């Protein structure tokens, strides 16, 4: 199962080769001509009408059953949240329309997302725990994690439930960032005030607290920095 922040791209057929203008591929009217002098016209080539007749028909409007199947396919493919699943289903309804038949009330996207959560197919808290741990391993701080939670639609209760674990990893995460950027204990010990200010600004943008970031930036080089030195 993958994260649902990735979307599938649409595939388009390659265009016809226009040919070399010097070989008579175009006339003055802008229509494309065969070498024998017959015009293909502007409608997409000699077989333009046939190509149009083979175009994929517009998808049918969604009903309750189709929307539920769409939700099930989505949660099978992606680790997601109730908020993101609701947004996805609402977007699909806007794109394809709604048939308004019997059972329409059962297909309200928010209710359907909640039902997926009750069935265990969506778990906002588990999503929050995994996302926070992954971001902190990359050296991102609590503010950046909180922003990712808002974007994913994590509610306040689930966010608060993982807040202690995020706080426990705060120093480790800040040092991971410093190691990547060669700051403080992972730096050379050289640099002026302007460089240190730039490093501090970088740590703040990464979501780390000011006091912690300042301690790390000011720390001398060390082969084995201790977490306790920065708590």
């Amino acid at each position: 199962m993958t994260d649902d922040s990735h979307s599938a791209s649409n595939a388009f057929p390659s265009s016809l080769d226009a040919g070399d203008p010097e070989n008579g591929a175009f006339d003055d009217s802008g229509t494309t001509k065969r070498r024998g002098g017959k015009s293909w016209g502007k409608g997409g080539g000699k077989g333009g009408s046939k190509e149009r007749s083979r175009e994929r028909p517009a998808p049918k409007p969604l009903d309750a059953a189709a929307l539920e199947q769409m939700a099930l396919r989505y949660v099978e493919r992606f680790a997601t949240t109730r908020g993101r699943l609701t947004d996805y289903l609402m977007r699909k309804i806007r794109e394809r329309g709604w048939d308004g038949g019997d059972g329409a009330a059962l297909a309200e996207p928010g209710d359907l997302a909640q039902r997926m959560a009750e069935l265990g197919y969506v778990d906002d808290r588990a999503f929050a725990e995994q996302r926070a741990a992954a971001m902190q391993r990359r050296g991102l701080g609590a503010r950046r994690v909180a922003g990712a939670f808002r974007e994913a639609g994590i509610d306040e209760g689930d966010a608060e439930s993982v807040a202690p674990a995020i706080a426990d990893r705060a120093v480790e995460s800040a040092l991971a960032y410093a190691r990547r950027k060669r700051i403080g204990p992972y730096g050379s010990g050289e640099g002026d005030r302007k460089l240190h200010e730039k490093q501090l600004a970088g740590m703040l943008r990464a979501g780390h607290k000011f006091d912690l970031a300042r301690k790390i930036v000011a720390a001398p080089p060390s082969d084995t920095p201790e977490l306790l030195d920065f708590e």
Side-chain angles (χ1 to χ4, degrees):
M1 182 180 292
T2 59
D3 191 291
D4 67 343
S5 58
H6 302 287
S7 60
S9 61
N10 295 325
F12 295 92
S14 58
S15 61
L16 293 173
D17 186 357
D20 187 346
E22 293 182 359
N23 291 331
F26 298 96
D27 63 16
D28 292 337
S29 66
T31 59
T32 309
K33 298 192 301 181
R34 300 178 63 184
R35 292 193 178 185
K38 294 182 179 180
S39 174
W40 283 355
K42 298 183 179 179
K46 180 180 179 181
S49 60
K50 293 182 180 179
E51 290 295 335
R52 287 193 295 272
S53 68
R54 291 198 296 267
E55 289 179 358
R56 184 178 298 177
K60 295 180 180 179
L62 294 167
D63 57 17
L67 193 68
E68 183 168 354
Q69 287 299 313
M70 186 172 286
L72 286 169
R73 288 195 298 270
Y74 191 81
V75 299
E76 285 174 355
R77 293 179 60 196
F78 302 112
T80 190
T81 64
R82 286 171 295 174
R84 280 189 171 178
L85 178 58
T86 298
D87 291 344
Y88 169 77
L89 296 175
M90 291 179 67
R91 185 173 74 250
K92 289 302 180 182
I93 291 174
R94 288 195 300 269
E95 291 173 354
R96 294 181 51 173
W98 185 250
D99 75 348
D102 294 339
L106 298 176
E108 202 284 322
D111 292 344
L112 185 53
Q114 179 60 36
R115 185 142 53 90
M116 294 292 112
E118 291 169 356
L119 293 170
Y121 300 145
V122 176
D123 189 332
D124 283 19
R125 178 169 179 173
F127 181 97
E129 290 172 345
Q130 294 169 6
R131 175 59 60 86
M135 292 182 70
Q136 289 188 286
R137 284 195 298 271
R138 291 179 8 232
L140 299 176
R143 287 200 312 278
R144 289 287 294 273
V145 173
F149 284 179
R150 289 192 294 271
E151 183 180 348
I154 301 293
D155 65 28
E156 186 176 347
D158 287 320
E160 288 180 352
S161 69
V162 299
I166 294 172
D168 289 344
R169 294 190 295 260
V171 175
E172 184 179 354
S173 174
L175 288 174
Y177 179 89
R179 183 167 52 249
R180 284 176 49 212
K181 300 296 184 177
R182 298 182 180 180
I183 294 173
Y186 303 101
S188 64
E190 301 176 355
D192 55 15
R193 179 177 177 179
K194 186 175 181 180
L195 174 62
H196 289 169
E197 289 177 349
K198 181 178 179 180
Q199 292 172 338
L200 179 60
M203 295 199 69
L204 295 178
R205 286 194 300 272
H208 299 291
K209 292 183 177 180
F210 177 83
D211 288 344
L212 174 59
R214 184 173 58 179
K215 285 182 182 179
I216 291 176
V217 169
S222 172
D223 294 333
T224 56
E226 297 289 339
L227 296 182
L228 293 176
D229 294 339
F230 304 100
E231 292 181 348

